[in-house]
Amino acid sequence: MERLNKLYLQNCYIMKENESLRKKAQLLNKENQALLSELKQKLSKPSPSPNPNPNSCNPSGSKP
């Protein structure tokens, strides 16, 4: 009988720890999905191409 009580308590502890780990895994997965989405947004935006001639819009070179 004492052995059954010990096994029962161990089982309860394992189930509690399992639930805690499941919650942590869900939080990490949510964070991972958010980071992945952010990365995909950054990669899908076209990067601005550098203007080789900064005065090309104003041929005189003077500021408007």
Side-chain angles (χ1 to χ4, degrees):
M1 189 67 157
E2 186 178 323
R3 184 168 181 249
L4 287 177
N5 284 339
K6 185 178 179 181
L7 290 174
Y8 175 78
L9 291 175
Q10 284 180 336
N11 190 38
C12 288
Y13 173 78
I14 289 170
M15 288 190 309
K16 187 176 180 181
E17 187 68 18
N18 190 28
E19 184 63 28
S20 174
L21 291 171
R22 185 179 289 115
K23 287 179 182 178
K24 286 180 184 179
Q26 287 173 341
L27 287 173
L28 288 171
N29 186 45
K30 188 175 180 180
E31 182 181 356
N32 190 31
Q33 292 299 320
L35 289 171
L36 182 60
S37 175
E38 185 179 329
L39 180 61
K40 284 181 179 179
Q41 282 182 344
K42 286 183 179 181
L43 291 176
S44 68
K45 289 182 182 176
S47 59
S49 58
N51 190 350
N53 186 357
N55 295 326
S56 63
C57 293
N58 191 354
S60 65
S62 63
K63 294 184 180 184

